[in-house]
Amino acid sequence: MRRYFVTILMLFLVMLLLDSSSWATESDIIGEGGQAGLEESVREVDKFNYQFGDRPDPFLPFLSKDNSRDELDDTPINEGSGEPLTGMQLFEPGQLKLVAVFKIGNRNIAMAEDVTGKGYRLDENMPIGRYGTINRIGDEQVEITETYKTTTGRVVTKEIVMRLKKEGDN
């Protein structure tokens, strides 16, 4: 309680010490004729002009079609479809290392492992990660396409390639 009293007392003293000429009064805003005179009522504070330079306009909304920084924003919308992620959807492609590609019949199958060394089978058209699908399994690589919608409404498509590392490659 004493702390609040001291704070209020300090604020009161600061208000008393301030020069009354720094505060705008009604007579400063309204002209002598009783109406707002534009030229007479311009204070020094009102003469400030914002220098844009390479900075964005602070009065434009962040999410707009006209704002150039929104076009570069590739942040996906977190669309919770309600379904829990299962299988390979739990892993983003960057979390896996391609360790083998082999042929069964006329189709290629790939093997990947996570950071703990656990192995997983990859097939074509299998969902991987939150937004990805395995398009093609080649002889030494797996091609993945990620498609998602950004916060600005743009649809972004990214191509990711997981390459098979040979012995001696880091």
Side-chain angles (χ1 to χ4, degrees):
M1 182 75 170
R2 180 177 177 200
R3 185 177 182 186
Y4 296 116
F5 178 73
V6 171
T7 304
I8 292 172
L9 182 63
M10 291 299 290
L11 287 172
F12 181 72
L13 288 174
V14 168
M15 288 176 53
L16 285 177
L17 293 176
L18 284 176
D19 186 16
S20 64
S21 64
S22 65
W23 296 89
T25 62
E26 188 174 336
S27 63
D28 292 336
I29 298 171
I30 299 177
E32 293 176 11
Q35 296 179 1
L38 294 178
E39 295 170 10
E40 300 97 21
S41 66
V42 174
R43 297 176 299 173
E44 193 66 33
V45 176
D46 296 333
K47 294 179 184 177
F48 177 75
N49 190 8
Y50 183 75
Q51 300 296 324
F52 287 101
D54 59 351
R55 295 180 286 184
D57 187 354
F59 301 106
L60 287 178
F62 290 111
L63 301 176
S64 69
K65 297 288 183 191
D66 300 334
N67 204 343
S68 63
R69 69 178 157 201
D70 291 339
E71 296 300 322
L72 302 175
D73 186 18
D74 283 344
T75 307
I77 295 175
N78 190 5
E79 294 177 342
S81 62
E83 297 177 17
L85 299 177
T86 59
M88 294 309 296
Q89 290 178 322
L90 296 171
F91 297 99
E92 292 299 324
Q95 296 174 318
L96 299 171
K97 181 171 98 172
L98 187 64
V99 292
V101 176
F102 51 94
K103 223 178 206 10
I104 296 181
N106 59 352
R107 53 180 233 186
N108 287 340
I109 306 251
M111 294 294 293
E113 68 178 26
D114 62 8
V115 292
T116 63
K118 187 174 180 183
Y120 299 94
R121 176 181 168 170
L122 303 178
D123 292 313
E124 289 184 2
N125 300 320
M126 174 186 278
I128 184 168
R130 188 173 295 264
Y131 308 105
T133 303
I134 298 174
N135 282 348
R136 182 176 161 299
I137 299 176
D139 292 335
E140 294 184 0
Q141 66 187 21
V142 174
E143 297 172 7
I144 301 166
T145 302
E146 283 189 341
T147 304
Y148 56 87
K149 199 175 209 180
T150 65
T151 53
T152 59
R154 264 186 340 122
V155 175
V156 176
T157 302
K158 290 185 180 179
E159 298 293 328
I160 300 171
V161 177
M162 294 173 61
R163 297 192 193 284
L164 183 64
K165 296 198 179 196
K166 298 178 182 173
E167 265 186 64
D169 289 347
N170 289 331

